[in-house]
Amino acid sequence: MIIDCHGHYTTEPKDLLRWRKDQVDNVKEPAKQPAKASLKVSDDEIRESLEGAQLKLQRERGTDMTIFSPRAMGMSHHIGDYNVSLAWSQLCNEMIHRVCALYPNNFIGVCQLPQSPGVSPDSCIGELERCVKEFRFVGCNLNPDPSGGHWTAPPLTDRWWYKLYEKMVELDVPAMVHVSASCNPCFHGTGAHYINADTTAFMQLIMADLFKDFPTLKLIIPHGGGAVPFHWGRYRGLAINNKRPPLDEMMKNNVWFDTCVYHQPGIDLLTKVVPIDNILFASEMVGAVRGKDPQTGYDFDDTKRYIDGAQGLSGDDKKKIFEGNVLRAYPRLKSKLSARTAARR
């Protein structure tokens, strides 16, 4: 089975975007905020939004299932206050739940958290519990920088985050460490802010003992781990200089990188330097880079091709990347897949 651990609803129905615009336009006037009931999206509109995009690409590229979450750029936790973020997150998560209900063999949900700058992550616990217990989602997206490029939150290893981590461990769900839009003009959203955040998160993990406090906490760092694989020697050296554990020991059962790397040399490097047990297949489709690579004639985000073509990977290595590792990173996924298999019999 080929499981894509990183998909976003980037083709969402137009009325969801209309609702968000109404919310943002009235962000300073709570009385004018749109009611949830004002969102009008039919099941047919959801089907239409997926059939010509994610579902079509799944079929064409030979993937089986996508771990699916709301549009990452759209989370925009820097907009408004906590109540704005909560209403928006709930609506987006409910939309993902509807997608998964319509296509249970193609999508499994991951939730957006209602983070807000300066607000304790404890405030996200209620929505996380709702999504895991009621919607049976298997994880969450955790924004390490709700300020949108100004980095006002404490490092991910700070105790400020601990109650949320305690709940994640209790629920047995991982977090993908994923920033949202950048409101800092110095940082392009997908080209700089995303990669900055991935790299920053990994360095924070190197320098602290988070996994001594939470030995079963699981974090996925997307976009191939940012700059880390290319500078693997730098981070190994920094770990040694600071008397920290070796990188593979630190990552072991707690940290994974995904394969949202959009060229063959990048995947070749990733699979050579990062432990195979800590790599998850992902494409981010329909994602940050759209269209065909003129050098190959294939879509940039057709990442399965790169895994298939990576030299030095054995059949067992590819099976780990495509399926085995994701079942370790997302413990609830295995039981959901087993239940679906039993239901088909």
Side-chain angles (χ1 to χ4, degrees):
M1 188 172 199
I2 299 175
I3 303 170
D4 185 338
C5 81
H6 187 173
H8 298 298
Y9 199 1
T10 53
T11 58
E12 64 272 82
K14 291 181 179 179
D15 201 53
L16 183 67
L17 300 177
R18 186 275 312 164
W19 191 97
R20 175 61 165 171
K21 184 178 185 300
D22 288 350
Q23 186 192 41
V24 173
D25 287 347
N26 295 289
V27 72
K28 294 183 179 179
E29 299 185 71
K32 294 184 179 181
Q33 291 284 295
K36 287 175 66 175
S38 70
L39 178 70
K40 304 297 182 184
V41 175
S42 68
D43 287 351
D44 283 343
E45 286 175 298
I46 293 175
R47 293 187 183 97
E48 184 180 355
S49 73
L50 295 165
E51 289 287 352
Q54 288 89 348
L55 289 167
K56 175 176 177 285
L57 294 174
Q58 280 184 352
R59 292 190 292 268
E60 290 178 352
R61 298 177 184 179
T63 61
D64 298 300
M65 178 171 288
T66 301
I67 297 177
F68 208 49
S69 64
R71 181 191 291 261
M73 192 69 73
M75 296 188 297
S76 292
H77 294 117
H78 61 279
I79 295 176
D81 58 13
Y82 171 74
N83 290 326
V84 168
S85 185
L86 178 62
W88 175 233
S89 297
Q90 288 177 335
L91 210 64
C92 289
N93 292 333
E94 288 160 10
M95 190 65 63
I96 295 297
H97 179 50
R98 290 180 63 186
V99 167
C100 295
L102 288 170
Y103 298 98
N105 296 323
N106 299 92
F107 300 104
I108 287 183
V110 160
C111 69
Q112 171 179 323
L113 296 176
Q115 296 175 252
S116 187
V119 179
S120 169
D122 303 6
S123 62
C124 299
I125 289 173
E127 181 62 7
L128 176 63
E129 283 196 303
R130 181 177 84 116
C131 289
V132 173
K133 293 181 177 180
E134 294 183 25
F135 299 162
R136 299 188 66 207
F137 284 8
V138 297
C140 62
N141 288 339
L142 178 64
N143 188 346
D145 174 34
S147 69
H150 296 291
W151 290 94
T152 57
L156 289 170
T157 52
D158 190 270
R159 297 190 70 85
W160 196 66
W161 302 90
Y162 271 29
K163 285 189 178 179
L164 179 59
Y165 294 156
E166 288 170 1
K167 183 55 65 175
M168 287 169 53
V169 168
E170 176 190 323
L171 295 172
D172 209 12
V173 295
M176 179 171 280
V177 180
H178 204 311
V179 288
S180 185
S182 170
C183 59
N184 184 334
C186 294
F187 303 123
H188 183 276
T190 55
H193 187 42
Y194 279 18
I195 309 305
N196 293 348
D198 305 331
T199 310
T200 298
F202 192 74
M203 190 65 208
Q204 290 175 0
L205 296 175
I206 288 175
M207 296 300 291
D209 292 317
L210 179 63
F211 301 120
K212 286 186 178 178
D213 290 339
F214 296 98
T216 61
L217 181 67
K218 296 173 174 61
L219 302 175
I220 295 92
I221 298 181
H223 318 116
V228 174
F230 188 74
H231 291 284
W232 192 251
R234 174 184 293 260
Y235 294 106
R236 284 182 54 243
L238 287 168
I240 291 169
N241 292 345
N242 287 278
K243 297 180 172 54
R244 305 301 303 160
L247 302 187
D248 56 350
E249 181 182 318
M250 183 272 283
M251 293 179 72
K252 200 166 185 180
N253 296 309
N254 302 103
V255 181
W256 289 264
F257 293 172
D258 76 15
T259 64
C260 292
V261 178
Y262 295 148
H263 65 151
Q264 189 68 56
I267 290 292
D268 292 344
L269 174 68
L270 175 71
T271 55
K272 285 178 181 177
V273 301
V274 176
I276 294 298
D277 287 345
N278 296 92
I279 299 174
L280 308 179
F281 172 67
S283 70
E284 205 178 359
M285 71 171 191
V286 179
V289 180
R290 302 190 186 196
K292 296 189 183 302
D293 182 343
Q295 294 181 2
T296 67
Y298 292 95
D299 290 328
F300 280 101
D301 61 4
D302 186 359
T303 54
K304 180 179 178 293
R305 294 184 63 256
Y306 309 139
I307 304 301
D308 289 339
Q311 294 185 357
L313 286 183
S314 68
D316 286 343
D317 290 338
K318 292 177 183 179
K319 187 172 183 180
K320 285 181 179 181
I321 292 171
F322 284 135
E323 178 182 5
N325 294 340
V326 75
L327 297 178
R328 291 173 48 232
Y330 290 82
R332 285 180 171 263
L333 184 58
K334 189 171 185 178
S335 62
K336 288 204 71 171
L337 294 177
S338 297
R340 289 177 183 185
T341 301
R344 293 195 199 105
R345 291 173 182 165

